[in-house]
Amino acid sequence: MKRIAIVFCATAFLFSCDSGQTSGSKTDSTSSTTTVTGSDSKEKSEEWVPVDSAAMMKGWELAATPGAPHAILAKFDGDWVGETTMWMAPDAPPMKSPGSCNNKMVMGGRYQESTFKGDMMGMPFEGKSTTGYDNVKKVYVSTWIDNMGTGIMTMEGTWDEATKTLAQSGKMICPANGKECNTRQTIKMVDDKTQIMEMWGPDMKTGKEYKNMEIKFTKKG
C-alpha cells in the first residue's frame, strides 16, 4: 500500500480521460489587531452588488447556456484505448500499461463525464472525472476520483486553439507526507482519433516537478 500511496502522490492521477483547485487565502495567526481603515476597505470590496430580476435572469441564462468551449469538449466524446507510461522518479525506468476510456457529454452538453479503466502496479484501477467550461469563471474545470484514494481532486485551466491543447493545474495533499503539492496536466488533441495526456508532479525525494505520466489515447472505430 505504501507504493500505491507514492504512485498516487507522484501522479495525482489521471485525466479527463481527465482532473485546478486554486489555493485558498492564508490567515496570519500572529496578528491580533486590525486597523479600521483596513477593515473598512475589506468590507467595501466585499459589498454585495444589487441585482434586479432582469439582470438575474440574463446572468443565469448566460451561465447555463452551452457554447463553443463545450463543443470543444464534445470532440473528445467516444471510446478510447490508452497506452499509459509512468515514471516513479525522474531517473526511473518507464512502466507501461494498457487502459480504456469512455467520454460522453451529459446534462444537455454542459459537462463531459469520463470513465477510465486500466491497471496500476499490477492492480485494477478505475477513475471517473467530470469536466466542464464555467461560463462565469471563463475556465475549464474538472474533478477526478478513483479507487486508490478517498479525495476529490479539482483542476482549472484553458484551451489553446493554436496547439489544440487543454492545460490545467491544481493542488493536492500528498498522502505519503501530508504536504500540499502542485500538479498539472495537458491534453493535446493531435487529430480526431489521437490525443496525448501528460502529467507533472513532485519528485518524492526533492519535491521538484517532473513529468510522471503520459497516456496516448487512440479512438475506437
Side-chain angles (χ1 to χ4, degrees):
M1 292 304 292
K2 181 179 180 182
R3 295 188 70 188
I4 297 174
I6 292 175
V7 172
F8 182 82
C9 184
T11 57
F13 214 71
L14 179 70
F15 161 54
S16 161
C17 206
D18 173 57
S19 357
Q21 176 177 330
T22 56
S23 58
S25 59
K26 186 175 183 180
T27 303
D28 184 358
S29 59
T30 61
S31 175
S32 60
T33 60
T34 305
T35 62
V36 175
T37 302
S39 176
D40 289 346
S41 176
K42 182 178 180 180
E43 288 179 3
K44 288 181 179 179
S45 66
E46 295 179 352
E47 286 181 358
W48 184 258
V49 178
V51 181
D52 59 29
S53 59
M56 179 184 71
M57 292 302 296
K58 182 178 180 180
W60 278 112
E61 181 180 0
L62 292 173
T65 304
H70 303 86
I72 291 174
L73 282 178
K75 293 180 180 179
F76 291 89
D77 267 8
D79 292 310
W80 300 76
V81 176
E83 180 183 75
T84 302
T85 304
M86 294 178 58
W87 295 266
M88 291 291 292
D91 57 351
M95 299 183 296
K96 295 183 179 293
S97 61
S100 63
C101 181
N102 172 265
N103 296 333
K104 62 179 180 180
M105 297 300 289
V106 297
M107 297 190 180
R110 291 173 175 81
Y111 306 94
Q112 186 175 74
E113 183 180 84
S114 301
T115 303
F116 180 89
K117 293 184 178 181
D119 69 83
M120 181 185 290
M121 306 293 291
M123 292 170 288
F125 178 86
E126 58 180 313
K128 187 178 289 289
S129 71
T130 303
T131 302
Y133 181 81
D134 190 322
N135 288 339
V136 179
K137 298 179 71 173
K138 300 189 184 305
V139 294
Y140 284 91
V141 207
S142 66
T143 64
W144 174 259
I145 58 174
D146 59 50
N147 66 328
M148 290 190 175
T150 52
I152 301 176
M153 186 171 70
T154 62
M155 286 190 171
E156 291 184 358
T158 57
W159 170 262
D160 182 7
E161 181 62 27
T163 61
K164 306 293 183 182
T165 301
L166 175 61
Q168 294 181 294
S169 62
K171 292 182 180 294
M172 62 169 287
I173 302 298
C174 174
N177 61 16
K179 300 296 184 181
E180 184 179 66
C181 57
N182 296 317
T183 182
R184 64 185 179 94
Q185 69 177 26
T186 60
I187 304 171
K188 178 180 177 62
M189 182 177 283
V190 180
D191 53 48
D192 290 342
K193 290 186 174 292
T194 310
Q195 54 179 285
I196 303 292
M197 178 270 191
E198 296 177 287
M199 177 166 272
W200 291 261
D203 175 15
M204 292 295 95
K205 293 182 179 179
T206 65
K208 294 182 179 180
E209 180 187 81
Y210 79 102
K211 178 180 172 179
N212 51 40
M213 183 166 57
E214 177 179 309
I215 305 178
K216 180 180 179 181
F217 286 100
T218 303
K219 194 171 187 178
K220 291 183 179 180

